[in-house]
Amino acid sequence: MLPPPRATRTSMTTTQLDETMASLLRGINMILALDARRQVKELFEVCQIKNYPFTYEQLRSELPTILGRYAIFKELPKVDQYRYLVNLIDWRQSVGKDDVVEIGLLLPGLCPFICTIRSGNYPLW
């Protein structure tokens, strides 16, 4: 098995990257363990705390898509999970945000990322 890629543009160490990945996976698993109503409530609370522009109704209607992204993400090889996380970190740092785990719970850009993995071109968000 290949080791996870190093965060080239981020200021995170490998240990910090491992901890961030573990935290993201814990969050995903926690949400997956809840019933649908509580899943939406948890995601909505994260969005409220971080001031993301999602309404409860938007999250409720997008829940199947978000859960589908979770399944896809968990099936990715570890090296690609880390590559996605590094890109997510770089994107959030480039806009002055420190909310990787919270925004990661929505897995933004996962499908385009997977398409770029298959083509060999990695995204720069």
Side-chain angles (χ1 to χ4, degrees), residues 2 7 11-13 20 24 34 37 42-43 45 52-54 59 77 91 104 107 109 113 117:
L2 293 173
S11 58
M12 296 182 100
T13 66
T20 302
L24 176 59
L34 301 172
R37 184 183 60 77
E42 286 295 322
L43 289 172
E45 287 178 9
Y52 300 145
F54 298 105
L59 289 171
W91 169 51
L107 292 176
F113 176 78
I117 289 172

Side-chain angles (χ1 to χ4, degrees), residues 7 19 28 49 71-72 77 83 87 89 94-95 116-119:
E19 290 169 357
I28 288 172
I49 290 168
I72 292 168
R83 192 172 286 129
N87 276 278
I89 291 166
S94 74
V95 295
T116 61
I117 289 172
R118 292 182 181 142
S119 70

Side-chain angles (χ1 to χ4, degrees), residues 9-118:
R9 292 182 312 268
T10 69
S11 58
M12 296 182 100
T13 66
T14 302
T15 301
Q16 291 170 320
L17 189 60
D18 288 342
E19 290 169 357
T20 302
M21 177 62 79
S23 183
L24 176 59
L25 290 173
R26 271 193 310 276
I28 288 172
N29 289 332
M30 183 263 318
I31 289 174
L32 287 173
L34 301 172
D35 63 67
R37 184 183 60 77
R38 291 185 60 212
Q39 287 172 331
V40 173
K41 183 179 178 198
E42 286 295 322
L43 289 172
F44 183 68
E45 287 178 9
V46 168
C47 289
Q48 291 295 300
I49 290 168
K50 290 297 185 175
N51 220 10
Y52 300 145
F54 298 105
T55 66
Y56 187 88
E57 283 303 310
Q58 286 173 316
L59 289 171
R60 190 174 65 76
S61 68
E62 289 296 319
L63 185 63
T65 302
I66 293 169
L67 296 178
R69 287 186 205 142
Y70 287 174
I72 292 168
F73 184 76
K74 290 177 88 173
E75 290 176 4
L76 286 174
K78 276 283 189 221
V79 69
D80 289 333
Q81 287 180 352
Y82 274 90
R83 192 172 286 129
Y84 172 82
L85 183 62
V86 167
N87 276 278
L88 186 65
I89 291 166
D90 289 343
W91 169 51
R92 297 312 285 171
Q93 286 180 348
S94 74
V95 295
K97 301 285 184 175
D98 184 27
D99 61 354
V100 172
V101 173
E102 294 86 354
I103 196 74
L105 289 176
L106 302 174
L107 292 176
L110 181 64
C111 294
F113 176 78
I114 290 171
C115 291
T116 61
I117 289 172
R118 292 182 181 142

